[in-house]
Every structure is written in structure tokens, then in C-alpha cells.
Amino acid sequence: MSNFRTETVCVQGGYTPGNGEPRQIPIVQSTTFKYATSEDMGKLFDLEANGYFYTRLQNPTNDYVAAKLAELEGGTAAMLTSSGQAANFYAVFNIANCGDHVVSCSTIYGGTFNLFSVTMKKMGIDFTFVSPDCTDEELEAAFRPNTKAVFGETIANPALTVLDIEKFAKAAHSHGVPLIIDNTFATPVNCRPIEWGADIVTHSTTKYMDGHGCAVGGAIIDSGKFDWLAHAEKFPGLCTPDDSYHGITYAEKFGKEGAFITKCTAQLMRDFGSIQAPQHAFYLNLGLESLHVRMPRHCENGQAVAEFLANHPKVSKVNYCGLPGDKYYEVAQKYLPNGSCGVVSFELKGGRKAAEVFMSRLKLAAIETHVADARTCCLCPAASTHRQMTDEQLEAAGIPAGLVRMSCGLESKYDLIDDIAQALEAVE
Ligand SMILES: *Cc1c(COP(=O)(O)O)cnc(C)c1O
């Protein structure tokens, strides 16, 4: 790993061309790779040699971009997946199986909550959800003898809570299990969870990393710090021989630095196949090349919009951890000193009706099921993603009917504020 700063790694990390080779990462648009002898290929299948044989498992384009992400997060190994959903599923399923248990923060992305509480539950994995604001005792009480991991989001989508990563890491480690952090909203430009004790980092690269709303994707990065063999009885998948790979024991053969990602690729990618297309990895890399330039602008626009809304008479509440007085301001000062993200949520005094009128009058912010791209967009969860819920159920889930989530893009903050101001004029 290099000692270059984040900005330099965003631009040049992961791929260093040799003499006469392409300056930009090549898109290896090939499903398969050729070998001279069956023996050569056999070594790859046995994980005895490094190389490519089939793009469902690995492709050079993906590996260049994964290497950049590993460097950005300060990890030792990384892999790309077809989506953020696949990344979180693989990250957890790589170490938790039927009969196991995971502690998860309750304020997580709705898709992840569904994955954990419905789909993975059907696979026999139990989750206990704890508030990001829980006490040490409440967190402690969530663990069971069969707990295999702790999960949370640096900045939660859409709740915008900020996680005390050190607290969750300490609890996980005292129970001999890793902390998995979904760092999608903060990106490594604003927070590097591994420096605060996280063991595995995941991303929906669909969001800020791509940043242009053009390619769905995900990633998993391993810190290389978790000592699987020291807790071998909890992690038989990593610490006992894998019969499907001629008795390889991942933690012994690939060490702390490589075991998690090698197993995840060799078993889960082989069997489930949620690989990112090399073309998408190329788009992702284009996004990464400017991530360090874009994030500060997203934050500047988010901050300006949040401040404007907080001072507006028709607005009853604003959630943005960059506002002094926000519930997460202090914790954000610690983990996100350079800014959080461009996503702001707020409530209008007129409730759901006012939110609908307001959004319909916006000219710049489009109504979209998306966040974190160059174009400002917004969504009223009660009228869209959480539409099936009654106002009472919404309130219980912490999503007031009039809540608007706005993802501030890269436009002029003055134009965004003018647009919001004129739309608020139309609201009763
Ligand atoms: C969007 C999102 C996901 C899911 O990612 P997809 O790329 O849409 O599959 C997971 N976690 C967070 C925090 C997200 O915002």
C-alpha cells in the first residue's frame, strides 16, 4: 500500500500501467481467460496460483478498482459486487450461517433492514436491532453466544443518524466478533471506519462513489486486522478446511490480510454470482477519480440548504449533523470533521400535504428514488418508499408523514436555495 493521500489515491490508486500500456484502466470485456495447459488452470482452481479464469469470480478491471477502494479505506483486500445489497449480504453471510446471530444498528437502509429481518431470517440467521443511541448496557445485552458480527452505517440512510463507531467496535471486539460498517454516505473521503476500529467496510458504490447516477454497484473491503484464528471456534468457515477447495483453510493459507475476501470470492461469488460488470467497474472508477473533489461540494450544498431550512418559518424540523444543535452534531465532529454528506431531511409544519405541494413545485430537485448523485433530488418516504404505512405506523418507524429527504447535488447552492424558497412559498 502506498502512503499517498486520499486525493491522490482517488485519482491514481489501484492501477499502475507499465511501459506502453493504457493510461486509463482497460475494460477487460471477456468472460473467460486462456491457458496453455490444464495444469496451469488447475492451479487457479485450487487457489494455488493467482490469476483469472472466469469473470464471475474475478476480472482484472474489477480488481484494479477494488485495489483502489482497499487503499482508500486503508484495508488489505477488497472485492466489487453487483450492488450494495449484494455487498452487505456477502459481508454478513461470509461469517454468519444458519443458527447464527448478528447485532445490527436499527437505523439502517430500508433494503438492508429487509434483507436482514426477512430474507436472512428465512435462512436461519437471527438479528437483534439496537438503537445507534443505545447505552453500553443495552448494546451488551444484545449479544448472544452465537453472535458472529455487529453491523451499522456510518451515516444512516435515510435516518441520518451518525454511529459512534468506536463504541460499537469495542463491544464487537470484547465478544470476539468483527464490526461491519456500511460507509456509503460518508465515503472514505469523509470517514475511514477502519481507523476507528471497523473490521469490514461495505459500500453501495451506486451512490457518491459513482456519483453520476449511472451504475449500480457495491464493494466489500477487509481491514486485514481481525484475527479469525484467535476466535476459530466462532468462524469455522474461515478456520477449518473447505472441502469445496481441497481442504484449504482460508485463515491459515491467506492470513488475516486475505482470508475474508478470498473466501467471499471463492465461495459466495462462485455460488451466487453477484459480480459487477467490468464496464460498471470502469464507470465506478471514473466516479472515484473525482470523489475527493465532489464530496466537499455535496457537503457545502447540504450545509447551506440545511441552514436555510432551519431558519424558515414553514419548516418544523431539520436533520443534518452539520447543524449545531442537531442530535448528532457532537459525534459527527469526531467522526466527520470535514463534513458528512449532501443528504438533508426535514419536516414541514403542514405535514404530508405540504410536503407533496412543496415537492411538486421544485424545479431543480427531481422526485427520485435515489440519493447521492450530481443532480439534486428529493423524496417523500410517506408518499413513496413507505407508502403502505399509515401515519401512525410511520410515526412509530421514525418517519413522519411530512418528512422530505433531499439529496443536494453539485449545482450552485444559491440556485438550490432559491428553488426551495419559491417552492415553500406555494405551501400553506
Ligand atoms: C443504497 C444503499 C444500499 C443498497 O445499495 P444498492 O447499490 O442500491 O443495492 C445499501 N446501503 C446504503 C447505506 C445505501 O444507501
Side-chain angles (χ1 to χ4, degrees), residues 293-306:
V293 183
R294 293 183 287 107
M295 285 311 289
R297 185 58 173 269
H298 280 293
C299 294
E300 184 188 333
N301 287 359
Q303 185 75 29
V305 164

Side-chain angles (χ1 to χ4, degrees), residues 89-428:
F89 172 57
Y90 282 19
V92 174
F93 197 61
N94 204 33
I95 44 177
N97 297 154
C98 184
D100 289 340
H101 171 260
V102 174
V103 175
S104 172
C105 186
S106 58
T107 50
I108 52 174
Y109 175 65
T112 311
F113 184 75
N114 200 66
L115 170 70
F116 289 174
S117 63
V118 180
T119 302
M120 291 185 79
K121 190 164 171 48
K122 283 185 202 158
M123 302 169 86
I125 303 166
D126 258 339
F127 289 78
T128 298
F129 295 95
V130 295
S131 160
D133 313 324
C134 66
T135 62
D136 289 341
E137 293 71 36
E138 285 164 340
L139 185 51
E140 191 60 30
F143 285 85
R144 299 182 193 166
N146 57 342
T147 301
K148 296 299 167 75
V150 177
F151 182 94
E153 295 178 7
T154 312
I155 306 168
N157 176 14
L160 301 181
T161 56
V162 180
L163 196 70
D164 185 345
I165 300 174
E166 275 190 322
K167 176 171 109 176
F168 277 72
K170 218 172 112 217
H173 296 160
S174 78
H175 287 270
V177 302
L179 174 65
I180 304 172
I181 291 288
D182 180 333
N183 196 33
T184 296
F185 266 25
T187 83
V189 170
N190 284 339
C191 180
R192 305 213 310 163
I194 290 171
E195 289 172 358
W196 299 105
D199 301 285
I200 310 289
V201 174
T202 61
H203 281 278
S204 166
T205 63
T206 317
K207 312 296 166 50
Y208 287 116
M209 284 190 168
D210 162 16
H212 298 79
C214 78
V216 172
I220 307 171
I221 298 108
D222 181 10
S223 68
K225 290 185 177 160
F226 194 84
D227 192 349
W228 306 106
L229 286 168
H231 307 282
E233 75 295 344
K234 280 189 193 292
F235 303 105
L238 283 153
C239 302
T240 58
D242 177 1
D243 291 338
S244 68
Y245 270 109
H246 314 289
I248 282 177
T249 300
Y250 294 100
E252 279 169 7
K253 188 161 173 69
F254 300 100
K256 284 193 288 189
E257 295 75 18
F260 188 89
I261 294 294
T262 305
K263 174 179 181 287
C264 206
T265 302
Q267 288 180 345
L268 301 189
M269 202 55 98
R270 177 194 63 187
D271 296 350
F272 293 112
S274 317
I275 193 75
Q276 186 164 139
Q279 182 87 36
H280 276 197
F282 179 83
Y283 293 139
L284 168 57
N285 188 56
L286 285 184
L288 291 172
E289 287 182 1
S290 64
L291 184 67
H292 59 300
V293 183
R294 293 183 287 107
M295 285 311 289
R297 185 58 173 269
H298 280 293
C299 294
E300 184 188 333
N301 287 359
Q303 185 75 29
V305 164
E307 284 171 10
F308 174 80
L309 288 166
N311 290 314
H312 198 286
K314 291 184 183 172
V315 176
S316 55
K317 183 158 198 286
V318 181
N319 303 305
Y320 190 71
C321 66
L323 288 180
D326 185 87
K327 192 173 175 194
Y328 298 96
Y329 180 78
E330 300 298 333
V331 69
Q333 290 300 301
K334 173 175 173 181
Y335 293 103
L336 303 156
N338 300 321
S340 56
C341 64
V343 184
V344 180
S345 72
F346 55 98
E347 289 167 59
L348 298 180
K349 287 186 180 154
R352 183 201 292 248
K353 185 88 200 65
E356 284 175 13
V357 172
F358 166 74
M359 286 174 46
S360 71
R361 297 296 172 105
L362 289 165
K363 296 190 172 93
L364 284 174
I367 299 172
E368 285 172 30
T369 309
H370 194 43
V371 284
D373 83 67
R375 289 155 294 259
T376 296
C377 59
C378 64
L379 183 85
C380 175
S384 55
T385 48
H386 296 69
R387 197 179 173 80
Q388 70 285 3
M389 292 185 176
T390 64
D391 284 9
E392 291 70 38
Q393 286 173 323
L394 286 165
E395 208 65 48
I399 304 167
L403 188 83
V404 177
R405 181 185 70 184
M406 182 169 281
S407 168
C408 298
L410 300 174
E411 304 90 341
S412 156
K413 63 185 172 187
Y414 304 107
D415 287 338
L416 292 180
I417 288 170
D418 286 350
D419 190 32
I420 292 167
Q422 66 80 27
L424 281 171
E425 270 169 36
V427 171
E428 293 295 308

